[in-house]
């Protein structure tokens, strides 16, 4: 028993001496890069000043704009530049869909009898509605500088370079009032109708200026959830006509940290 106690005492003293001579210093883990994915909802604002698209007849005096809903999905990264600044990038697939309508009063419209000799029975005003329903998808790269002005809250500003992936439209002109008139060209309520046509003379490159606000929430495993609110202001038109799309986007990103290899240093006392 005395031998065992003596042996344990020697082991304890030996380990204590080692601890006094050698100490390990482990550098704290600090993320050097964040990568993740995001999903967003877009409110698209179409700004226009044209009557018809090249090559497609229309009697619309002028489309002035419209709106639509879309989505955005992609990969997000965040590279810290300092304690307050970081470089925010996104590679995204986004939709710029929208519906534009315009109504016009057609005066002195003849109401003719339905039976021969189709005599004019009345003169009235008719209302025609013009419609362009656009489906536009783009692939884009966003880069922005982000500044954290308060704990978790950041503002950002930058550019989005987009490329149109697909762009089609449906068009029609429909008589909506009164209900007893038709177009004399085809004796129906609709004319100048086109479906799933490519938007003519598109600008493949789309450039937007962006500003935004974000809030970052960190969890114990350093994964962050970051809601974003962003506005995109267009610098380019969709087509050769005066037609551009701005966006309000609400998105949520899940970001995962990447670290440098853990550096372990040994300090030995002589």
């Amino acid at each position: 028993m005395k031998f065992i106690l003596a042996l344990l005492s020697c082991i304890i003293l030996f380990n204590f001496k080692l601890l006094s001579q050698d100490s390990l210093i482990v550098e704290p883990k600090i993320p050097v890069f964040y990568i993740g994915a995001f999903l967003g909802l877009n409110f698209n604002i179409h700004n226009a000043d044209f009557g018809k698209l090249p090559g497609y007849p229309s009697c619309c005096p002028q489309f002035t704009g419209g709106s639509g809903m879309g989505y955005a999905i992609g990969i997000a990264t965040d590279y810290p530049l300092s304690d307050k600044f970081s470089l925010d990038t996104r590679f995204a697939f986004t939709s710029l869909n929208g519906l534009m309508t315009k109504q016009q009063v057609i005066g002195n419209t003849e109401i003719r009898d339905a039976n021969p000799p189709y005599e004019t029975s009345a003169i009235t005003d008719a209302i025609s509605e013009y419609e362009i329903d656009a489906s536009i998808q783009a692939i884009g790269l966003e880069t922005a500088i982000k500044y954290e002005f308060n704990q978790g809250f950041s503002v950002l500003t930058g550019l989005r370079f987009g490329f149109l992936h697909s762009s089609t439209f449906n068009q029609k002109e429909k008589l909506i009032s009164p209900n007893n008139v038709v177009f004399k060209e085809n004796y129906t309520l609709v004319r100048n109708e086109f479906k799933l046509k490519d938007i003519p003379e598109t600008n493949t490159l789309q450039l937007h200026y962006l500003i935004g606000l974000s809030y970052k929430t960190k969890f114990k495993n350093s994964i962050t959830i970051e809601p974003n609110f962003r506005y995109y202001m267009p610098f380019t038109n969709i087509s050769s006509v005066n037609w551009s799309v701005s966006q309000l986007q609400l998105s949520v990103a899940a970001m995962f940290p990447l670290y440098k290899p853990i550096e372990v240093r040994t300090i030995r006392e002589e």
Side-chain angles (χ1 to χ4, degrees):
M1 185 69 179
K2 290 182 179 179
F3 175 77
I4 295 175
L5 291 174
L7 182 60
L8 289 174
S9 298
C10 292
I11 294 174
I12 293 173
L13 289 173
F14 180 74
N15 286 334
F16 179 76
K17 186 177 180 180
L18 287 178
L19 290 174
S20 64
Q21 290 181 349
D22 299 286
S23 61
L24 297 179
I25 298 177
V26 180
E27 296 291 338
K29 296 198 324 181
I30 300 175
V32 295
F33 192 71
Y34 288 88
I35 187 169
F38 77 94
L39 180 65
L41 178 66
N42 300 331
F43 178 69
N44 303 322
I45 305 167
H46 288 244
N47 310 287
D49 184 13
F50 68 95
K52 62 180 180 179
L53 292 172
Y56 292 92
S58 174
C59 297
C60 179
Q62 182 189 41
F63 286 106
T64 58
S67 62
M69 300 299 293
Y71 64 91
I73 186 171
I75 299 171
T77 66
D78 193 10
Y79 180 75
L81 301 174
S82 67
D83 291 340
K84 294 293 185 180
F85 288 92
S86 64
L87 180 64
D88 181 286
T89 61
R90 287 184 172 187
F91 181 76
F93 183 86
T94 185
S95 60
L96 306 169
N97 302 340
L99 174 66
M100 296 186 293
T101 61
K102 181 72 173 182
Q103 291 186 0
Q104 181 185 30
V105 176
I106 304 175
N108 299 322
T109 301
E110 296 182 355
I111 305 297
R112 296 187 179 184
D113 294 333
N115 300 314
Y118 309 111
E119 295 290 340
T120 299
S121 60
I123 300 292
T124 187
D125 290 338
I127 299 177
S128 183
E129 183 176 74
Y130 309 92
E131 175 182 300
I132 288 181
D133 188 4
S135 177
I136 306 170
Q137 284 76 43
I139 299 174
L141 176 65
E142 302 177 18
T143 178
I145 296 296
K146 186 162 60 176
Y147 171 70
E148 185 176 7
F149 64 91
N150 200 357
Q151 187 68 33
F153 288 94
S154 299
V155 293
L156 55 95
T157 181
L159 294 172
R160 180 174 73 186
F161 302 89
F163 298 90
L164 294 184
H165 174 66
S166 65
S167 54
T168 60
F169 75 101
N170 298 326
Q171 173 185 298
K172 66 179 179 181
E173 178 182 347
K174 183 178 180 180
L175 285 169
I176 60 175
S177 178
N179 57 11
N180 61 336
V181 297
V182 293
F183 290 113
K184 65 180 181 180
E185 296 96 324
N186 54 12
Y187 298 103
T188 66
L189 294 174
V190 178
R191 69 178 179 184
N192 293 330
E193 184 176 22
F194 302 95
K195 293 183 178 181
L196 293 178
K197 298 297 183 180
D198 291 333
I199 296 176
E201 302 178 9
T202 55
N203 293 318
T204 303
L205 176 63
Q206 294 292 304
L207 180 62
H208 288 78
Y209 168 72
L210 73 92
I211 56 174
L213 177 68
S214 67
Y215 176 72
K216 182 184 294 184
T217 303
K218 289 186 178 181
F219 293 91
K220 291 183 179 180
N221 54 6
S222 296
I223 296 175
T224 64
I225 300 297
E226 190 170 354
N228 279 258
F229 178 78
R230 302 187 179 203
Y231 171 71
Y232 300 85
M233 183 181 72
F235 288 144
T236 52
N237 287 317
I238 293 295
S239 179
S240 59
V241 298
N242 192 357
W243 177 13
S244 62
V245 183
S246 56
Q247 285 184 309
L248 295 172
Q249 184 185 96
L250 180 63
S251 65
V252 177
M255 307 293 289
F256 302 86
L258 299 179
Y259 301 94
K260 285 184 178 179
I262 297 176
E263 180 181 355
V264 179
R265 292 184 296 164
T266 302
I267 299 178
R268 179 181 294 274
E269 293 184 3
E270 297 296 337

